[in-house]
Amino acid sequence: MGVLVGPRVIDAGMSLLSVLISPVPVAAGYPSPAQDYFDGRIDLNEHLIKDITSTYVVRVSGDSMEGAGISDGDELIVNRALEPKDGSVVIAVLDGELTIKRLRVTGTGVVLQAENPAYPDIRVPSVSDLVIWGVATRCLHHV
Amino acid sequence: MSKPAPIRRMPQIAHVDVNCFYASAERAFDPALEGRPVVVLSNNDGCAVTRSPEAKALGIPLGEPWFKLAPRAKEWGLVALSSNYELYGDISARVMELLGRYSAWLEVYSIDEAFLGVKGAPDELLALGWTMKSAVRRHVGVPVCVGIAGTKTLAKLANKWAKNNPAFEGVCHWDSVPAAAREALMGSLSVVEIWGVAARLTRRLNVLGIHSILELSRADPVMIRDRFSVVMMRTVLELQGTPCIPMEEERIGRDQLIFSRSFANPITTAAAMRQVLSVYGQQASARLAKHGLQAKVLTAFAGTSHFNPKETSYPSACVRLPVPTADPVVLTKAAHALLPRIHEGVRYARAGIMVTDLRPTGNQAPLAVFENPHEERHIGTLLEDVTRRYGRGSIGLGHAGIRGGPDWTMKRDMLSPRYTTHWDELPLVKAA
């Protein structure tokens, strides 16, 4: 049958990871009223995706964000609708490419930083000089 | 409800559509395409079905065959892409779901356009237009234009105006434009430019002295009905400001087929929604078969009742079909992908399905016929085992199986990644 795609493909992929967790330890002879609220598996969509219309998954290529715990090959959950702030991990468009950086907004200007000393900072006068594609909200790091 | 009526404003209709939809969807994930001429090619990489503004500026006509463009592509810096229907289906679903948040009444009209019921003072309507435009840009990354007017026909015209005249910056509220300017516009456009007037009727209208949209708007609706049809009369009435084009339940576009309707009584359970979607699946199947077509991508959607703006919800799901098909069982099962997103108790007032990525059935028909019964008889598993052991093409069902499915024969050399629907084709972000 057709594989679910669109916003729901994440669902299909993640159902494999779903964990059946009972909210309380089951003790014989003590029926817990809380168990009435048990509603099945943890739904990662619900916890990781705040807005399904603006959330995308991207894959990291490179090691410039190692210091932030974001490694080559990791997947990032990105919300395109979020307002980037000082400290946000952003996907910026640099030379026509989607590039991941840490955004620093200071009194003296705006800096796109790598989290790896091997890569230089990129300075611009203000955020409006940047095209920010989205703000990363989670990293699915391969352990 | 017998509350004292405050100042009532006539409800208006907003028509929202994505600019150069396929090209814009590609750009949303590949910023390098920004500013470059881009064309998206039809199935089999045949001809240009979508052109970015830069490609239009090069004078590339719509429908231009790729073999004519290819020799000059390099010199132009032209980027040609195969139709990535899975990407477009998902982007469409996101746009529609987002638009549903701004109106309790939304009619998905095609893969890239929708009508919404809106209310308010002119400045409020304009503000709503801007809000929707920037929200779609921020959430989905594609540009839209908005036309707002008293009727669907005028809303579409306003949208076209907003697209073609930069002064509007993408949002046109018809009634806010001075009447003289509106008449000048309608006077300058041929009747063929208006939604609902078929090109073949132009000459018959011309004989009656009706050349421009303005002249059509001044025609006598009854005379038009008698000489043409009720459809044409509706267009005239709509141009005069009387809304009379109802929600259409079935539409066939250039490369898509849509079934949708609103319900007399809202649907509040997944079980009932399952039935509705099943009916659409079967209708779509019959319609595809009638036109000798098969579909590869299906989008199912639903929307809440506009009588209760409090629980606005427009869930949608986009499904890639395993093979191009017109099989009612496959289409119905695919449409059921929406069900997990249907909340019990919420009052859904409408639902629909849209099938895209259509291609002629041709001589691949036997494949679709055999697809499902064999699944149930475990022949699929057997085939897989043999294929794994002896390689692809070593075994198949009849000659269709051996020849390979249409997807292997379909030419899509310039297909971009299916960024949002395949885990192994996610957009890459550079960490360097």
Side-chain angles (χ1 to χ4, degrees):
Chain A
M1 205 20 252
V3 178
L4 293 183
V5 296
R8 310 308 298 158
V9 76
I10 298 157
D11 216 6
M14 293 203 175
S15 63
L16 301 171
L17 304 174
S18 301
V19 187
L20 187 63
I21 293 178
S22 175
V24 288
V26 182
Y30 278 95
S32 163
Q35 280 188 329
D36 289 347
Y37 299 103
F38 176 51
D39 196 23
R41 297 175 175 128
I42 284 176
D43 180 355
L44 289 180
N45 278 337
E46 191 185 312
H47 295 279
L48 301 183
I49 299 178
K50 287 281 168 280
D51 187 339
I52 205 162
T53 65
S54 59
T55 302
Y56 301 82
V57 183
V58 302
R59 188 179 308 284
V60 177
S61 166
D63 60 357
S64 74
M65 294 301 282
E66 286 284 356
I70 300 170
S71 305
D72 189 37
D74 285 354
E75 293 91 14
L76 293 174
I77 297 177
V78 176
N79 187 339
R80 292 199 64 173
L82 284 183
E83 201 67 53
K85 294 186 301 227
D86 177 44
S88 297
V89 171
V90 298
I91 312 301
V93 177
L94 297 175
D95 297 327
E97 284 187 295
L98 300 176
T99 310
I100 177 170
K101 295 282 180 187
R102 173 86 67 188
L103 180 73
R104 288 292 175 199
V105 184
T106 67
T108 54
V110 172
V111 189
L112 289 176
Q113 289 177 339
E115 294 272 353
N116 180 334
Y119 299 91
D121 292 349
I122 295 168
R123 289 172 189 282
V124 291
S126 81
V127 178
S128 59
D129 296 305
L130 293 171
V131 178
I132 301 292
W133 191 85
V135 175
T137 58
R138 299 274 184 163
C139 173
L140 307 180
H141 178 64
H142 292 249
V143 293
Chain B
M1 290 226 247
S2 58
K3 281 185 205 160
I7 307 161
R8 300 288 307 233
R9 290 189 182 277
M10 286 298 286
Q12 296 236 306
I13 293 166
H15 176 253
V16 183
D17 76 340
V18 183
N19 308 349
C20 317
F21 177 54
Y22 295 172
S24 297
E26 299 284 353
R27 279 180 171 167
F29 293 91
D30 187 356
L33 297 176
E34 213 62 62
R36 294 188 64 177
V38 177
V39 291
V40 176
L41 304 174
S42 59
N43 272 344
N44 262 328
D45 292 345
C47 47
V49 289
T50 303
R51 302 157 298 158
S52 72
E54 297 80 5
K56 287 178 192 168
L58 285 171
I60 295 172
L62 191 62
E64 184 78 341
W66 170 236
F67 74 85
K68 283 193 185 172
L69 294 172
R72 299 193 63 188
K74 201 167 182 184
E75 159 201 350
W76 282 334
L78 178 67
V79 180
L81 294 162
S82 308
S83 291
N84 186 343
Y85 283 99
E86 285 180 46
L87 175 66
Y88 311 149
D90 178 45
I91 295 300
S92 170
R94 287 172 187 256
V95 171
M96 298 308 170
E97 185 160 349
L98 186 59
L99 290 176
R101 296 178 189 170
Y102 294 93
S103 168
W105 178 92
L106 173 124
E107 178 184 350
V108 177
Y109 189 72
S110 73
I111 194 166
D112 60 354
E113 58 183 327
F115 291 107
L116 294 85
V118 291
K119 260 186 187 171
D123 53 339
E124 291 168 335
L125 292 175
L126 273 170
L128 176 67
W130 298 117
T131 306
M132 291 193 292
K133 184 175 166 57
S134 70
V136 176
R137 175 60 110 168
R138 271 167 56 113
H139 286 246
V140 195
V142 294
V144 299
C145 283
V146 184
I148 304 171
T151 69
K152 285 183 175 179
T153 304
L154 288 173
K156 267 219 162 203
L157 183 59
N159 192 326
K160 189 182 259 191
W161 206 1
K163 273 201 171 59
N164 293 327
N165 188 334
F168 287 109
E169 294 180 42
V171 180
C172 171
H173 177 232
W174 186 251
D175 296 342
S176 296
V177 180
R182 295 192 312 234
E183 291 194 356
L185 175 85
M186 295 204 296
S188 72
L189 293 175
S190 152
V191 283
V192 70
E193 301 275 338
I194 199 75
W195 180 50
V197 176
R200 63 188 163 79
L201 298 176
T202 313
R203 268 190 48 193
R204 280 174 59 199
L205 284 165
N206 291 352
V207 169
L208 297 173
I210 298 170
H211 299 87
S212 69
I213 294 176
L214 186 66
E215 285 159 350
L216 184 64
S217 76
R218 288 173 176 166
D220 173 15
V222 177
M223 179 275 285
I224 290 290
R225 184 196 60 198
D226 294 346
R227 296 211 181 205
F228 293 89
S229 62
V230 173
V231 175
M232 182 80 87
M233 179 186 74
R234 283 186 186 146
T235 300
V236 173
L237 287 170
E238 287 241 328
L239 284 171
Q240 295 172 352
T242 308
C244 53
I245 293 185
M247 201 85 99
E248 289 175 50
E249 298 191 347
E250 181 189 323
R251 288 179 297 281
I252 301 175
R254 175 164 44 83
D255 51 4
Q256 59 201 288
L257 201 60
I258 296 191
F259 294 85
S260 72
R261 58 177 285 235
S262 34
F263 314 124
N265 298 306
I267 281 184
T268 58
T269 66
M273 188 62 83
R274 171 182 288 267
Q275 287 184 343
V276 169
L277 293 171
S278 302
V279 170
Y280 292 152
Q282 286 161 40
Q283 284 179 344
S285 162
R287 190 47 61 138
L288 285 169
K290 187 182 159 203
H291 291 279
L293 293 169
Q294 293 178 324
K296 188 71 169 46
V297 175
L298 180 148
T299 305
F301 52 90
T304 42
S305 161
H306 62 279
F307 295 114
N308 187 358
K310 291 241 163 60
E311 55 172 26
T312 303
S313 166
Y314 284 88
S316 62
C318 175
V319 178
R320 165 174 38 102
L321 302 165
V323 292
T325 185
D327 185 320
V329 178
V330 177
L331 294 174
T332 301
K333 271 167 108 180
H336 289 170
L338 182 67
L339 295 174
R341 300 202 62 201
I342 296 298
H343 297 290
E344 293 286 329
V346 170
R347 294 158 60 86
Y348 294 96
R350 54 186 288 104
I353 67 170
M354 171 166 66
V355 287
T356 59
D357 199 353
L358 308 181
R359 64 284 294 283
T361 305
N363 42 17
Q364 255 81 37
L367 185 66
V369 171
F370 283 118
E371 187 72 11
N372 285 289
H374 286 84
E375 240 172 62
E376 278 152 31
R377 292 178 218 148
H378 304 291
I379 287 178
T381 338
L382 175 69
L383 293 180
E384 263 178 47
D385 288 347
V386 173
T387 306
R388 199 172 305 133
R389 198 149 163 193
Y390 297 106
R392 197 165 283 286
S394 56
I395 187 169
L397 295 170
H399 78 184
I402 278 287
R403 282 170 47 162
D407 250 23
W408 295 297
T409 56
M410 178 74 69
K411 192 161 169 266
R412 278 185 182 170
D413 291 342
M414 294 159 281
L415 189 64
S416 56
R418 294 165 293 183
Y419 300 107
T420 60
T421 57
H422 287 253
W423 195 252
D424 50 359
E425 297 182 24
L426 297 175
L428 288 180
V429 298
K430 206 166 102 177

